[in-house]
Structures are given as C-alpha cells and as structure tokens.
Amino acid sequence: MRIATWNVNSIRSRIDRVAAWLERTDVDVLAIQETKARADQFPLDRFEALGYDVAHHGLNHWNGVAIASRVGLEDVRVGFDGMPGWGDPAVPEARAIGALCKGVRVWSLYVPNGRALDDPHLGYKLTWLEALAVAGRGWLGEDPDAQIALLGDWNIAPTDADVWSVAYYEGRTHTSPGERAAFQAVVDAGFADVVRPHTSEPGTFTYWDYTQLRFPKRQGMRIDFALCSPALARRVVGAAIDREERKGKGASDHAPVVFQVGD
C-alpha cells in the first residue's frame, strides 16, 4: 500500500495537478492539508472519477483537511480527543481528520503555524501538539499493535538539518526549542518518522516559500512528516519526497511525501 501526505495549498487551485499526480504515482491513500474549501466547494467528483473515496473537513477558506482512499474509508473521525480550539470563544478548527484505510488509522493533520514567537498563536500551537501527544499515547496504550499514521504539515523543522539556514531561522517560529520539544513529545509517545531513514541526504526539504526564488535556490524546510506507530513503522519498506511536483506553474509550496507499506 502506498500512502502519501501533501499540503496542496488550496485543493480548488491545485485539483488538476493533484489528479494528474494520483494517476501518475499509483498512491492508494492521500492525506491532504490546507484544502481551503468548504464541503460544497471540494472537487469530490474528480477524486471519485479516479476511484477514490474522500473524507473532508473544511469550514471556510482557511485550513481544511481530507483523506482520499481507494482501499477503504471507514470510521471517519473529525478532530481528536482533547484537541483545542482557537478564538474567543475557542472553536475547533479544520485541522485533523482520521479514517481507517485497509486496517491503518490514517490521520491528516495541519498543525497550527505559530506565526511568531511572541504571538498567542504559538501557545495555541504548543497546546495543540501537547493534546495530540496525549491522544497518541492513549491510542497506543489501548492497543500497542495499532496501525496508526500521523501525516501532515507539522509546521516544525525538528532539527537544524531540516532548514536551509540555521541563522535565517534564528528567532523565528518552526525551529524554536518549544516547538521542537512538542514535536519530540509526539515521537516519544511512540511514533517514528518513517520517511527520514529513506531520505536522509543533506538539503532534503518538503517546503519552499514562493518568494525570493527559494525553490530554485534550494532554500527550503522539512516540515511535512509521516509519524507511524511501532506496528506500522515495522511494515514500511521505502519512502520518498517528490520534489519534482514542486516545479512548474501552479505548484503548491509543499512537495508530496510518500511511503510504501509492505505486508
């Protein structure tokens, strides 16, 4: 089974590229982030024409998460227990959706950005990740053999090797000690990065800003990850980051991340 995650940065703007990519890559399950669409705006027909069922959670033109699967889509869950909201009063955003796909509990996650080190949104981000770590630890406590994939845009570069310039990100979000500790807490809850062992070359990134020619200059960040439970991680036999999909007109600023699950 081939599973992928991709922040498409607007499914309506990117649907032609996403559909062509799915046809070309033979992916079975795709976790999608930043759909930027309500339910009535999601191009469901394009996915169904390719043989995919879709679970989508989108509330407005911000955020939005989805799972497209051609190997089953059952027990869909919107949000996870304890997931905090944002605003006053706090309201859960469209940042997490989960479903069973051929025995694997796939989560599509769009972690809050954080914005700036002195912004309240950073506190929200850390609280959100803490709740995810608690939920993940609980899932594995209930069933140590559970097949779980936490996929998505984490908005965190967990190591210095995950950014093109350590100096550039000094004093910015995505690389702060608190954010990195929050990411590590999810790992410590029992979830392993299954892509890094197969894509460990220096300068391997998943995101490049649209401005200042960041992509052709290879000035990116690695912020999109697949963290898997022990039982699922043992089944992963390969992984890749499709940097080519970041090229060309109308590309997302993120590249798809793909991993292969064996029997």
Side-chain angles (χ1 to χ4, degrees), residues 214-234:
R214 293 296 189 202
F215 181 69
K217 292 179 180 178
R218 305 185 73 88
Q219 296 176 346
M221 306 176 71
R222 186 183 184 122
I223 58 175
D224 302 85
F225 295 93
L227 301 187
C228 294
S229 62
L232 182 59
R234 288 192 292 269

Side-chain angles (χ1 to χ4, degrees), residues 114-226:
R115 299 178 181 171
L117 295 184
D118 59 353
D119 194 294
H121 214 255
L122 179 59
Y124 167 50
K125 178 180 188 175
L126 298 179
T127 301
W128 199 96
L129 286 162
E130 180 182 10
L132 177 61
V134 170
R137 188 176 293 107
W139 297 330
L140 293 181
E142 293 172 2
D143 182 5
D145 296 322
Q147 310 268 327
I148 305 173
L150 306 180
L151 314 178
D153 176 0
W154 295 74
N155 272 312
I156 297 172
T159 74
D160 287 351
D162 297 318
V163 295
W164 69 273
S165 169
V166 174
Y168 177 82
Y169 287 101
E170 184 72 28
R172 300 171 185 257
T173 58
H174 292 65
T175 62
S176 70
E179 290 167 287
R180 287 180 168 179
F183 183 94
Q184 186 61 41
V186 179
V187 174
D188 292 343
F191 296 87
D193 177 354
V194 298
V195 177
R196 188 181 298 274
H198 303 276
T199 58
S200 58
E201 301 83 2
T204 300
F205 305 128
T206 65
Y207 164 84
W208 302 259
D209 193 279
Y210 287 127
T211 65
Q212 301 181 52
L213 299 175
R214 293 296 189 202
F215 181 69
K217 292 179 180 178
R218 305 185 73 88
Q219 296 176 346
M221 306 176 71
R222 186 183 184 122
I223 58 175
D224 302 85
F225 295 93

